Structures are given as C-alpha cells and as structure tokens.
C-alpha cells in the first residue's frame, strides 16, 4: 500500500517568512494533488502536478514534482496569516485505485 | 452553484443511536465519496459511488451504510453509533473519478458519547 509522508507535521512562522513543506512516497506517484484545509472547513484543491520535474506557481505558492515522481514540495514565499491551514497531499493509491491522503502539515502564520 | 453541502454541521449521539449524515452536490458529478478525518490519521475513505445506484466500500466501511438513488444525493448512515466513530466526516464529489480532483463539503463534526 502506498503511504504518503508529509513533513514537517507542524510549522509556526512569522508573517513574511518563507517555508517549504514536503510530501514523499515509497512508490512512484501517477500524479499528485495538493489541498489546503482551513479550520472548520473542507479541503480545497490548490494544484495537481503530473509530470516529473514539473513546477507550478500559484501566486506566492510554488509546487514542485520530483524528477522520479516519488516526492513533491510546496514552497510559500512571504507567508501571510491567510496561508494558515492544514496542507494535504494526495495521490492515487497504487493497486487500490483510490485517493490516498497524507497526514498533512499544519501551518500557523503569526502576524 | 452551492457546490457540495452537508448537514448537520455538528452532531452529538449516544452509543447505539443511529443517524444519517446528508450530502448533496449540484455540479452533476458522477463520483461521490465519504471520508473521515481523525487527528494524525489523515483522510480515510469510507464508501464511494461511481454513479446513481452504484456504491462500493472504501478503506474503513464497517459501521456505515450508503445509498445513491440520485446523482445529487449521497447520504451516509451510521447504524449503531460507537465512540470510535467520533470524527469529522467529509463528503466529496468529482467530475473525473474517485481518485481525481475532489470537491469537498464543509464537514460534519460527530461526537459519540
């Protein structure tokens, strides 16, 4: 069974700092989705990466897919309090063909 | 469009009680899923549906039933609530498939005492 490991589990930073969170797997990803979940809400899709080495940008967020498609990272530049939330990665779970989620990185950006 | 809606937002049950969590979507998506979210466990798939009249089990189906009589609605039934079912429940829908990009509802926080 494919497992998605996210690191760090928790991150508390000051407004304006940069940060990177990671999603790693023991298996090759077919594609990878990144979601953000704000407190009391459901996850919202940020981006899907498909091709090894792919880089996608969404305003201050940069998503990178590893060349071997076994890892991905999310970099936030000049974090703002509105970036606070749980960041989840998800991918198709190998033979199960279902969506598997990582346990997430909980980000708190202090003003 | 309202997207995916869930009711109720909060619920407290006693052990052994039954209830139905409601989920509806207005995006005409064929694929719908129920997940539960527990601290340190991530989101885990309970049941899913690939279209009206078709449902199947996910990773943690025990103690839950589903049905899909229409494209729009996908209720989740707890047959006899147990404290282990205390969790936050999310309904999701998708246009492209069960493992494709998901649109989530706002969730139901359930406590079983």
């Amino acid at each position: 069974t494919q497992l998605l490991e996210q690191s760090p589990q928790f991150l508390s930073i000051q407004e304006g700092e940069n940060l990177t969170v990671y999603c790693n797997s023991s298996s090759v990803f077919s594609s990878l989705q990144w979601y953000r979940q704000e407190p009391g809400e459901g996850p919202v899709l940020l981006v899907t990466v498909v091709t090894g080495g792919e880089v996608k940008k969404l305003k201050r967020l940069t998503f990178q897919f590893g060349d071997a498609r076994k890892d991905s990272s999310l970099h936030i530049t000049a974090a703002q309090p509105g970036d606070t939330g749980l960041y989840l990665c998800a991918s198709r779970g190998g033979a199960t063909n279902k969506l598997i989620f990582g346990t997430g990185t909980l980000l708190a950006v202090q003003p | 469009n309202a997207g995916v809606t869930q009711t109720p937002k909060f619920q407290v049950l006693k052990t052994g009680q039954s209830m139905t969590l409601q989920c509806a979507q207005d995006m005409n998506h064929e694929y719908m899923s129920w997940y539960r979210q527990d601290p340190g466990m991530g989101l885990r798939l309970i049941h899913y549906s690939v279209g009206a009249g078709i449902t199947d089990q996910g990773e943690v189906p025990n103690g839950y039933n589903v049905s899909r009589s229409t494209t729009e609605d996908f209720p989740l039934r707890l047959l006899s609530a147990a404290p282990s079912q205390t969790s936050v429940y999310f309904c999701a829908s998708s246009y492209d498939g069960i493992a494709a990009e998901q649109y989530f509802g706002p969730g139901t926080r359930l406590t079983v005492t």
Side-chain angles (χ1 to χ4, degrees), chain A residues 9 31 33 35 37 40-45 47-48 86 88 91-93 96-104, chain B residues 9 35 37 40-45 48 56-59 88 90 98-107 109:
Chain A
Q9 280 189 299
S31 63
Q33 301 163 25
Y35 293 83
Q37 183 178 17
E41 301 293 330
V44 175
L45 180 73
V47 77
T48 300
L86 180 67
L88 296 160
S91 182
R92 187 188 302 269
T96 69
N97 214 34
K98 311 297 185 297
L99 199 59
I100 304 295
F101 283 84
T103 52
Chain B
K9 184 70 172 174
Y35 291 88
Q37 187 175 36
M41 301 287 289
L43 285 154
R44 292 183 292 168
L45 182 65
Y48 66 95
D56 206 346
Q57 296 180 352
E59 181 185 356
V88 182
F90 290 99
I98 290 300
E101 298 157 358
Q102 303 291 303
Y103 292 80
F104 284 89
R109 182 175 292 275

Side-chain angles (χ1 to χ4, degrees), chain A:
Chain A
T1 302
Q2 182 175 34
L3 295 176
L4 300 183
E5 296 183 357
Q6 291 191 245
S7 61
Q9 280 189 299
F10 305 100
L11 193 56
S12 180
I13 62 171
Q14 295 296 122
E15 182 175 1
E17 293 183 8
N18 301 332
L19 67 116
T20 303
V21 299
Y22 302 92
C23 177
N24 296 289
S25 172
S26 54
S27 307
V28 174
F29 295 122
S30 54
S31 63
L32 189 80
Q33 301 163 25
W34 281 97
Y35 293 83
R36 177 169 64 208
Q37 183 178 17
E38 297 184 10
E41 301 293 330
V44 175
L45 180 73
L46 295 172
V47 77
T48 300
V49 287
V50 178
T51 307
E54 182 177 5
V55 176
K56 282 191 173 180
K57 293 193 174 184
L58 188 66
K59 297 183 181 178
R60 293 175 294 99
L61 278 60
T62 301
F63 303 84
Q64 189 157 1
F65 203 14
D67 291 339
R69 302 200 341 259
K70 296 181 72 173
D71 59 274
S72 181
S73 63
L74 160 57
H75 181 80
I76 301 179
T77 303
Q80 298 177 0
D83 296 325
T84 291
L86 180 67
Y87 289 82
L88 296 160
C89 63
S91 182
R92 187 188 302 269
T96 69
N97 214 34
K98 311 297 185 297
L99 199 59
I100 304 295
F101 283 84
T103 52
T105 292
L106 186 59
L107 172 65
V109 182
Q110 311 296 334

